[in-house]
Amino acid sequence: MNVDDLPIRDDLKGRKPYGAPQIDVPVRLNTNENPYPPSKALVDDLAEAVRRHASELNRYPDRDAVELRADLAGYLGHGLAPEQVWAANGSNEVLQQILQAFGGHGRTAMGFEPSYSMHPIITTGTNTEWIAGAREEDFALDADKAVAAVEEHRPDIVFLTSPNNPTGTALPLETIRRVLEAADGMVVVDEAYAEFARSGTASALSLLPEYPRLIVTRTMSKAFAMAGTRLGYLAAHRAVVEALLLVRLPYHLSTLTQTAARVALAHRAELLGTVDELRAERDATVEWLRAKGLTVADSDANFVLFGRFADRRRIWEGVLAGGVLIREVGPPGWLRVSIGTGEEMTAFRAAMEGVL
Ligand code: PMP
């Protein structure tokens, strides 16, 4: 029996599940993780905290993750109160809760492509209609065109990804402001890669006091080097958080997840300490690829989109044969490499030399 033989929803028939190939190779530069594992000090603190909380595992976790949200508000700054912060299992779950509360049947969500492919997947998965807006040739967002698209379609939710995945492009605050002024629905600024932005790139967090329908989403999966913990979060008006309480599953965030996230936040100086190194490695990668005559998108994230290849599959396979896994993603002809350690990037360059 196949999936389609089941009485599954018509709109899910024939679909492929999302997911980058998880191939066991020496160098994995395909899912934008931070390549640096936690230190022994962090591992020890985490083990100790888990031991302390293990004896409470017969009880449900704090349903509202109050202490964790206070820690996250403290990390974000901008005068945010814990009641303005919400957390879930990865920012993907945060996004899903936003769609559950503000999308649904008869409603629409809009994004500007190429962008994070989970936005349309979560949108349609919650029975919300997806409207695809477009970015420019250089992956920037033309503010006038974005405003025109929002005014034409009047979406219930607008996604702005900054820095954008898979292109690395950050949005000027003014563009976000223009969209906020034009939209009458919710505006989600997905800042999964915010910590990697080049200096001078402002966060949409600074706009929160002015715009009650703005939601800024973040994650501990990238700069925070905690992808395995599955902890995403958002900052918004407190009424937005109250709306999400209506759709979240009770006890969605396990005691162990809350514990791990709090320990990681306490060690943030160490975890975020690798960001400068990764930024420098990213800028060097952009330069190296350009020196090879390739087209490379400017990046404010921990990955670089480069091309354009007549046959990108051949390049991807060649790099894989060299022991390095990158991602075949983005518009046709482009490939994406996540930034790894210096050693991993040396392996990437060697593998690229082999196929170019
Ligand atoms: N937003 C963007 C733009 C992403 O690239 C990702 C991860 N690929 C996510 C959200 C989700 O990350 P997580 O669920 O691990 O927080």
Side-chain angles (χ1 to χ4, degrees), residues 18 31-32 89-93 95 116 119 161 163-165 190 192-193 217-222 227 230-232 303 336:
Y18 173 89
T31 49
N32 302 341
N89 296 282
S91 50
N92 281 328
E93 190 183 27
L95 295 173
Y116 182 40
H119 293 159
T161 315
N164 187 44
N165 180 15
D190 184 335
Y193 302 95
T217 61
R218 295 276 188 108
T219 181
M220 294 183 78
S221 299
K222 312 296 179 182
R230 305 303 299 128
L231 199 288
F303 52 82
R336 190 191 71 192

Side-chain angles (χ1 to χ4, degrees), residues 10-266:
D10 286 340
D11 63 307
L12 295 180
K13 284 185 179 161
R15 285 228 207 134
K16 297 263 176 301
Y18 173 89
Q22 291 191 308
I23 302 173
D24 195 13
V25 290
V27 180
R28 283 186 294 175
L29 302 175
N30 70 328
T31 49
N32 302 341
E33 294 146 323
N34 188 318
Y36 295 100
S39 69
K40 181 171 180 312
L42 197 162
V43 170
D44 287 347
D45 278 1
L46 179 54
E48 177 50 35
V50 168
R51 164 175 286 284
R52 258 197 329 274
H53 289 283
S55 61
E56 307 157 7
L57 288 177
N58 57 315
R59 299 291 177 191
Y60 283 116
D62 173 6
R63 200 170 43 211
D64 297 331
V66 172
E67 291 178 323
L68 170 60
R69 286 161 63 205
D71 289 354
L72 288 167
Y75 164 64
L76 288 176
H78 291 269
L80 287 164
E83 295 77 21
Q84 292 181 266
V85 174
W86 181 245
N89 296 282
S91 50
N92 281 328
E93 190 183 27
V94 171
L95 295 173
Q96 180 166 278
Q97 292 175 342
I98 293 169
L99 262 301
Q100 286 178 306
F102 299 102
H105 183 68
R107 291 184 168 225
T108 59
M110 171 170 214
F112 299 89
E113 298 180 343
S115 191
Y116 182 40
S117 58
M118 278 308 296
H119 293 159
I121 291 173
I122 295 171
T123 295
T124 53
T126 54
N127 253 306
T128 313
E129 186 191 336
W130 177 252
I131 300 170
R135 287 172 174 260
E136 301 301 294
E137 194 77 348
D138 64 354
F139 307 125
L141 190 59
D142 181 301
D144 291 335
K145 289 187 198 168
V147 165
V150 166
E151 286 176 347
E152 181 190 345
H153 296 285
R154 303 239 146 263
D156 297 284
I157 299 165
V158 181
F159 285 104
L160 297 174
T161 315
S162 180
N164 187 44
N165 180 15
T167 66
T169 323
L171 294 175
L173 219 48
E174 193 46 36
T175 303
I176 297 171
R177 192 187 280 280
R178 292 273 314 276
V179 170
L180 280 160
E181 294 286 345
D184 43 24
M186 304 301 294
V187 175
V188 179
V189 181
D190 184 335
E191 290 194 349
Y193 302 95
E195 290 93 345
F196 294 108
R198 288 170 290 183
S199 54
T201 312
S203 165
L205 290 171
S206 60
L207 298 174
L208 282 172
E210 288 172 74
Y211 297 100
R213 284 178 287 100
L214 167 63
I215 302 176
V216 182
T217 61
R218 295 276 188 108
T219 181
M220 294 183 78
S221 299
K222 312 296 179 182
F224 255 102
M226 278 279 137
T229 300
R230 305 303 299 128
L231 199 288
Y233 55 105
L234 64 73
H237 192 282
R238 58 187 75 207
V240 173
V241 175
E242 284 166 29
L244 298 181
L245 293 177
L246 302 175
V247 297
R248 65 94 196 271
L249 294 174
Y251 318 113
H252 67 297
L253 212 47
S254 87
T255 299
L256 299 178
T257 302
Q258 295 187 39
T259 300
R262 294 195 68 210
V263 171
L265 280 158

